[in-house]
Amino acid sequence: MTDTAELFETMPFAQRLGIEALSHAPELVRSRLAWDASLCTLGGVLHGGVLMSLADATGAVCAFLNLPSGATGTTTLESKTNFLRGVRSGHAVASSRPLHAGRRVVVVETEIHDDEGKLVAKVTQTQAVL
């Protein structure tokens, strides 16, 4: 797979949420999600689960691009999210970078920013190598 969108198309839930692929490389994967009232909690704020799903999908692509030779895939073992502010309009933009790419696990750090460049959430996830 060489097309950024193709990587996200393998995840039907990411498609359902409307996650848009922006770019991908082993050292950085970027995607975004448009604010929509149907994805919000009280007060018109994007739901935390939606932001976590954005980070998980983006981090999964990053982990996939950093798999060791012979591996067939990846799955999330653990994910930890720190929410710092809400998204009330525009887009949530995720940027994932590998922290560790080993034989058994890949650890990815994802930052989510709003359209103003303000940090919305920071996510660290551990992906199992399959």
Side-chain angles (χ1 to χ4, degrees), residues 24-80:
H24 76 279
E27 61 278 356
L28 176 64
V29 176
R30 296 184 69 240
S31 68
R32 71 181 184 174
L33 175 79
W35 180 95
D36 186 278
S38 69
L39 301 176
C40 290
T41 187
L42 293 174
V45 177
L46 273 180
H47 191 282
V50 170
L51 294 173
M52 291 170 73
S53 295
L54 172 63
D56 189 60
T58 309
V61 171
C62 185
F64 179 81
L65 294 174
N66 284 280
L67 287 174
S69 178
T72 59
T74 180
T75 190
T76 305
L77 289 175
E78 179 197 29
S79 184
K80 193 235 186 263

Side-chain angles (χ1 to χ4, degrees), residues 3-8 11 14 18-33 54-63 65-66 91-98 108-118:
D3 181 73
T4 304
E6 187 178 342
L7 291 166
F8 284 90
M11 297 179 271
I19 295 173
E20 178 186 355
L22 297 176
S23 64
H24 76 279
E27 61 278 356
L28 176 64
V29 176
R30 296 184 69 240
S31 68
R32 71 181 184 174
L33 175 79
L54 172 63
D56 189 60
T58 309
V61 171
C62 185
L65 294 174
N66 284 280
H91 292 87
V93 180
S95 301
S96 295
R97 292 175 174 81
V108 176
E109 183 175 73
T110 301
E111 289 188 349
I112 301 175
H113 291 83
D114 63 16
D115 282 339
E116 296 176 11
K118 294 181 180 175

Side-chain angles (χ1 to χ4, degrees), residues 78-82 99 107-110 122-126:
E78 179 197 29
S79 184
K80 193 235 186 263
T81 304
N82 287 85
L99 295 178
V107 180
V108 176
E109 183 175 73
T110 301
K122 192 153 202 161
V123 181
T124 304
Q125 64 182 221
T126 304

